[in-house]
Amino acid sequence: MLVKTPPMGWNSWNTFGPDINEDLILKSADTLVDTGLAALGYNYLVIDDCWALRERGPEGQLVPDPAKFPHGMKYVADYVHSKGLEFGMYSCAGFLTCAGYPASFDHEWTDAKTFASWGVDFLKYDYCYHPNTVPGPVLYKRMALALANCGRDILFSACSWGADETRKWIKETGANMWRSTEDINDSWKSIYTLSKKAGQAIRYGSINCFPDMDMLVVGMGGKGNVGFAGCTEDEYRLHFNLWALLGSPLMIGCDIRNMSESTRAILTNKDVIAINQDPDYNQAYTAEQYKGQWPEASDFPIYVKLLANGDLAIGLFNLSDTDGSWYSSTLQLDEIGLPESCGRTLLLTDLWTGEKKLVTNGILQDALKAHSSRLFRAKIVDKP
Ligand code: GLA
């Protein structure tokens, strides 16, 4: 199956972990639609780990835990589909899932068939407890082949956390997206670590094989399964800007049934979503990387991405713990393909405030507060 833009949706893990059930999933489906999130593109509703019984059924099939899902999974899938959404589930390439439930190693074809029979549209596929005798690329190929032959289009979301140099072999497995780094949690430390590591991994992403920086923690406020210290509003906005600009799938991880206004404002910024969903899916880059310095070297990365209509998306980030000076965030336009000789410059629109600004001297500069960011859409215009 061909997936043209980074998948968007909601996943149960970040907030609910093992505490999932039919009522939560059905209500979250309602909420995705009622809040307008689905209309903005968040259309995959994914149940993560801990949905199954600890033992397979008599024919070797996975069985939903009847205490959590009393009407079975087809019932849930039908409901999710009735809301115009796509339904996602979770398994793992090993003997057990990461939380210790039965996983799909040596059951790939049975499980793919089971998922198809329930009406599953998306499979997140983890890497815990995998046998050392079979290489990672082969484990992912096994499930990709089974899915491609199960009679239903199922988006294949690989989740091997960047292990074993996932980026180098994932594309040929047939996965549609792949986790580029370790698990996220709801803290600045985690956002910082993942931000620093993402720059190199994203170069291996492409249409139909998107680098997944992990589910969003926006709006968790330190609560739930991976709710650690929580983040400030600036930090959540930086996280959303960076994930969007770098082309990661955008899977919401907070409890959408109880979103605050500020959470809603972040997750529903149409202009930022449009950068993420740009149909050309050009890679974001930093000017530094062409000087032999990788984005993770800097605590003030500036990422630039060419958009389908000829505009540029430009994101300025201050990942450091101190407020930056004008000097710390500086972008020379000649380094991004706009030399003095071309007679053009940038007309910037700030995608959070709507403020417009013309670059007049060939240099874009800003002083950003610690842990904050700015995201612009820039039009190329004649120099005045
Ligand atoms: C791994 C994954 C997480 C989540 C858990 C479930 O840690 O990376 O995203 O799916 O397993 O157990």
Side-chain angles (χ1 to χ4, degrees):
M1 106 181 254
L2 175 62
V3 184
K4 294 184 179 157
T5 51
M8 296 171 65
W10 177 86
N11 175 301
S12 59
W13 183 253
N14 279 0
T15 295
F16 299 99
D19 298 327
I20 46 174
N21 58 56
E22 182 183 290
D23 183 58
L24 166 73
I25 300 304
L26 268 45
K27 289 230 166 66
S28 297
D30 292 343
T31 310
L32 275 176
V33 176
D34 297 345
T35 51
L37 286 167
L40 290 167
Y42 296 100
N43 63 342
Y44 281 99
L45 187 153
V46 182
I47 301 180
D48 209 283
D49 203 350
C50 309
W51 57 267
L53 281 180
R54 299 267 177 187
E55 300 294 333
R56 286 179 175 267
E59 275 122 50
Q61 78 281 24
L62 291 167
V63 183
D65 182 342
K68 293 176 176 172
F69 297 98
H71 299 95
M73 277 305 169
K74 180 147 182 0
Y75 175 86
V76 178
D78 287 348
Y79 187 84
V80 170
H81 292 150
S82 78
K83 306 294 290 188
L85 301 168
E86 312 271 350
F87 180 54
M89 290 197 69
Y90 166 100
S91 188
C92 176
F95 300 104
L96 295 171
T97 71
C98 296
Y101 291 80
S104 295
F105 179 69
D106 266 351
H107 297 274
E108 292 89 350
W109 288 73
T110 306
D111 293 352
K113 221 172 127 203
T114 304
F115 291 133
S117 74
W118 289 339
V120 169
D121 307 296
F122 177 115
L123 180 68
K124 174 173 169 180
Y125 204 54
D126 224 322
Y127 202 44
C128 285
Y129 303 109
H130 63 88
N132 292 329
T133 46
V134 184
V138 178
L139 292 172
Y140 280 91
K141 285 189 182 108
R142 287 166 67 139
M143 187 47 111
L145 254 178
L147 290 176
N149 289 279
C150 74
R152 189 175 172 86
D153 271 346
I154 300 184
L155 188 156
F156 189 32
S157 166
C159 180
S160 56
W161 335 295
D164 302 329
E165 302 192 300
T166 307
R167 62 189 185 280
K168 296 192 176 159
W169 47 261
I170 195 65
K171 207 177 271 180
E172 66 255 23
T173 65
N176 303 107
M177 57 190 261
W178 49 282
R179 270 279 293 285
S180 50
T181 34
E182 70 263 23
D183 283 17
I184 197 167
N185 64 61
D186 185 18
S187 68
W188 170 251
K189 192 161 178 271
S190 175
I191 303 293
Y192 178 82
T193 309
L194 298 185
S195 301
K196 298 289 265 189
K197 288 185 178 172
Q200 293 225 30
I202 59 160
R203 291 185 305 141
Y204 294 85
S206 67
I207 282 178
N208 206 37
C209 197
F210 302 97
D212 174 10
M213 294 163 66
D214 207 353
M215 284 99 60
L216 301 168
V217 294
V218 175
M220 288 184 64
K223 294 200 200 83
N225 187 44
V226 304
F228 282 45
C231 296
T232 66
E233 195 175 330
D234 269 355
E235 291 165 352
Y236 283 141
R237 196 175 299 118
L238 179 151
H239 163 44
F240 192 65
N241 279 341
L242 193 69
W243 266 233
L245 180 56
L246 266 46
S248 175
L250 299 177
M251 302 298 291
I252 298 170
C254 69
D255 182 355
I256 47 176
R257 300 166 309 169
N258 300 303
M259 276 187 296
S260 69
E261 257 323 299
S262 85
T263 298
R264 185 192 302 260
I266 293 174
L267 295 173
T268 61
N269 185 317
K270 282 195 184 105
D271 298 326
V272 178
I273 293 173
I275 303 291
N276 180 258
Q277 297 289 303
D278 187 75
D280 277 9
Y281 200 73
N282 290 317
Q283 200 65 73
Y285 65 91
T286 65
E288 277 69 34
Q289 75 193 56
Y290 303 115
K291 299 178 203 152
Q293 221 190 37
W294 283 100
E296 62 265 34
S298 171
D299 267 351
F300 294 89
I302 299 181
Y303 281 98
V304 182
K305 166 175 160 158
L306 173 62
L307 301 172
N309 74 341
D311 291 355
L312 294 171
I314 304 180
L316 277 49
F317 300 88
N318 180 355
L319 304 175
S320 83
D321 294 334
T322 49
D323 295 347
S325 64
W326 285 88
Y327 182 73
S328 26
S329 297
T330 297
L331 180 71
Q332 317 260 10
L333 299 202
D334 64 352
E335 291 179 334
I336 60 167
L338 279 179
E340 180 73 30
S341 61
C342 75
R344 307 283 195 286
T345 189
L346 299 179
L347 176 60
L348 307 166
T349 304
D350 183 310
L351 298 186
W352 292 97
T353 64
E355 184 196 335
K356 290 206 190 287
K357 191 176 145 190
L358 189 71
V359 178
T360 51
N361 58 354
I363 299 177
L364 167 57
Q365 271 190 314
D366 212 331
L368 298 180
K369 288 205 177 323
H371 304 186
S372 78
S373 58
R374 292 191 80 176
L375 185 57
F376 300 105
R377 186 164 185 130
K379 284 229 155 297
I380 317 295
V381 296
D382 290 343
K383 256 193 221 159

